[in-house]
Amino acid sequence: MQRFRGIEGARGWLSWIVVIGHLIVVTRFGAVVSGSSVLVEATGHAVSVFIVISGFVICHLLVSDPEPYRTYLVRRWLRIYPVYFVCLMIGVAVLLILARFTTYTQPLDFDETLHYAHQLRELDQGRFVPHLLLDLTLLQGMVPNNLLDEAPYMFLGTSWTLSLEWQFYLVAPLVIAAMRRPGWNIVAVLAIGFGVFAFQRGDFGMFFTPSILPAAGIQFAIGIVTRLAIDRLPALSRFPWLPVVGLALAACFLPRTAYLVGWVVIVAYIKLTPAAFDRDRIARLVRAALDSRFVRALGRRSYPVYLLHAPVLAVVAHAGFAGLHLDGVPLLLFTAVVGFSLTALGAELLHRFVERPGIALGHRFSAPRAAAPPSTEPAKV
C-alpha cells in the first residue's frame, strides 16, 4: 500500500507541540508570562491537524486496501487500545495518588484549568466506577459534561481525542463510501454541516472540546476529500512558500482555521516531485523537517507520547510545586526536564513492548488475505 511522505514526521511534531502546550498549562506559566499562551493555543491547532490526518489516512486505508468491516475494526482496535489501556491505568493511578494530597475543595494550584479539581470531586461523590467503565468503552467523548462531569477527560485528559477517533473509525467506511458516490457525497456533506451546526447550537449538550464526532466533522471531511483528490492535484516542482506564507498571515485574522496552514504544508510536501529537492532549498528544508530519520522516529512514537505525557506532567509539576516549592521559570524548567524525559522513556517502552506487538497482531489477524507479509516496522495508519 502506498505511503505518503511527511505524514509520520508531522505526527512527531504535532505530538510534542501538544506536550509543550500542556507544559505551559500545568505549570501556570501562561498565567505568569504574557505571550506564552500562544503555545497553548497552538495545542488546539495541532489536535485539529491530527484529526485531518486521521481522515486522510483512514480514507487511504479503506480506498487502497479494502477489507471486511470486522477485520478493519479489529485492526483499528488493536492499533490503539493496548497503549490506551496502559496509559488509562497510569492516569487512574495518578488521580488516586493526587487525591491523597488534596480535595476538590482545594484545587491544585499548578493546574489553571482545574480539571483535576473537578475529577477529584467526581471521585469524592462516588462516581469512580461509572467513569472507569465509560472510559474502557472508548466512548467517553460522546457524553456531555452536563450529563456526567468530566466524562471526556476523566483519568486521561487527552483521551477525548482518542474517543473521537474511535467514533470516526466506527462510521468511516460508510462515510467514505458515501463521499465517493455522486449524489450521496452531497448528502454526506450536508449531514456533516448539519452536525457541526447542531454541536455549535448545543443540541448535543455541554462540551468543552469537540469530543463528539459531529463536532469534528469538517476536519475529518477535509482529510477524506484531500485523499480522494490527491492524485488529481498538480505535482509541484518547487515548494509553494509564498502561498503558505500568505495563508499563515491570513490565519492571524482567522485563528479558528489556522490549522489549515499546517495541513497545506504537508500536502504541498507530498506533491513535490523528486526533482524539486535538487533545485529548491526550501523543499530540502521541509524534507528535513518532516522526513528526516529523527523526525520519523518521533512520529513512530507520537501516539504513546500523546497519551502518556498528561499524567506524567501532572505528577512532576505537582512534585515541583508542592514538594520542592518551585514556581515560575524554575517550575517550568523542572517539569520540562523531568517530565519530558519520563515521557520519552515511557513512550519508547510502550512503543516497543505494547504498540508494535498490537500492530503486528492486527496484521496477523488479516494475514490470510494479505499478498505479502507485514514489515518488521508496521505502517502507522
Side-chain angles (χ1 to χ4, degrees):
M1 184 170 62
Q2 179 187 5
R3 299 185 186 183
F4 292 96
R5 66 162 84 105
I7 294 290
E8 192 167 65
R11 281 173 164 154
W13 282 109
L14 294 170
S15 64
W16 281 99
I17 288 173
V18 172
V19 174
I20 292 171
H22 287 162
L23 169 72
I24 299 298
V25 170
V26 84
T27 58
R28 301 188 310 155
F29 200 71
V32 176
V33 178
S34 60
S36 59
S37 59
V38 173
L39 294 173
V40 179
E41 296 174 4
T43 300
H45 297 311
V47 170
S48 293
V49 179
F50 263 129
I51 296 171
V52 174
I53 288 176
S54 180
F56 181 91
V57 169
I58 295 302
C59 181
H60 176 63
L61 175 70
L62 294 173
V63 169
S64 304
D65 191 19
E67 56 190 352
Y69 182 74
R70 177 174 174 270
T71 302
Y72 150 80
L73 208 57
V74 169
R75 290 185 63 193
R76 291 291 91 204
W77 188 86
L78 289 169
R79 171 69 184 84
I80 66 173
Y81 203 85
V83 172
Y84 167 68
F85 181 79
V86 173
C87 291
L88 176 63
M89 293 301 103
I90 293 173
V92 170
V94 166
L95 188 60
L96 293 177
I97 290 170
L98 290 179
R100 295 175 61 87
F101 298 100
T102 187
T103 70
Y104 72 90
T105 59
Q106 299 170 317
L108 303 179
D109 291 333
F110 67 84
D111 186 0
E112 65 181 359
T113 66
L114 302 183
H115 274 301
Y116 273 105
H118 284 266
Q119 292 166 17
L120 292 173
R121 182 176 61 188
E122 290 296 291
L123 292 182
D124 190 71
Q125 295 182 356
R127 288 193 278 268
F128 174 85
V129 172
H131 275 291
L132 181 60
L133 293 177
L134 183 61
D135 280 32
L136 290 172
T137 68
L138 260 180
L139 297 177
Q140 67 268 31
M142 299 177 64
V143 180
N145 285 275
N146 55 303
L147 183 60
L148 182 64
D149 192 25
E150 287 294 302
Y153 326 107
M154 193 73 175
F155 306 125
L156 196 61
T158 53
S159 67
W160 70 265
T161 59
L162 193 60
S163 175
L164 177 65
E165 291 280 328
W166 183 244
Q167 296 168 52
F168 174 63
Y169 294 163
L170 291 174
V171 302
L174 178 63
V175 173
I176 293 168
M179 296 284 280
R180 299 180 70 190
R181 295 190 179 189
W184 283 104
N185 53 6
I186 297 176
V187 174
V189 170
L190 290 175
I192 291 169
F194 177 78
V196 173
F197 177 72
F199 173 79
Q200 292 178 345
R201 276 181 22 128
D203 293 342
F204 298 108
M206 184 176 67
F207 291 88
F208 299 122
T209 53
S211 60
I212 190 170
L213 183 58
I218 292 177
Q219 286 92 339
F220 282 119
I222 289 171
I224 292 170
V225 171
T226 304
R227 175 56 191 92
L228 295 178
I230 193 76
D231 295 330
R232 295 192 290 272
L233 295 178
L236 300 174
S237 59
R238 291 183 180 275
F239 188 82
W241 65 272
L242 277 176
V244 169
V245 171
L247 284 173
L249 293 175
C252 296
F253 303 96
L254 299 169
R256 295 184 65 179
T257 57
Y259 67 91
L260 290 176
V261 178
W263 182 237
V264 168
V265 169
I266 296 169
V267 174
Y269 177 65
I270 290 173
K271 296 303 297 183
L272 287 173
T273 63
F277 300 105
D278 296 328
R279 65 169 68 102
D280 187 354
R281 180 179 299 177
I282 295 179
R284 292 194 295 272
L285 290 174
V286 175
R287 180 172 62 183
L290 290 179
D291 237 359
S292 67
R293 190 172 182 178
F294 173 73
V295 172
R296 289 200 307 271
L298 290 181
R300 286 192 291 272
R301 293 150 180 83
S302 60
Y303 178 52
V305 164
Y306 181 79
L307 284 186
L308 183 63
H309 79 274
V312 169
L313 291 184
V315 168
V316 174
H318 185 67
F321 182 81
L324 301 177
H325 307 291
L326 301 175
D327 204 356
V329 174
L331 179 61
L332 177 80
L333 295 177
F334 172 79
T335 307
V337 172
V338 178
F340 288 7
S341 300
L342 292 176
T343 297
L345 176 60
E348 181 65 29
L349 295 175
L350 286 170
H351 173 66
R352 291 191 181 189
F353 301 112
V354 181
E355 184 179 25
R356 287 176 59 179
I359 296 173
L361 182 59
H363 277 272
R364 288 197 294 272
F365 183 83
S366 60
R369 63 176 196 85
S375 63
T376 56
E377 183 71 46
K380 259 186 102 172
V381 296

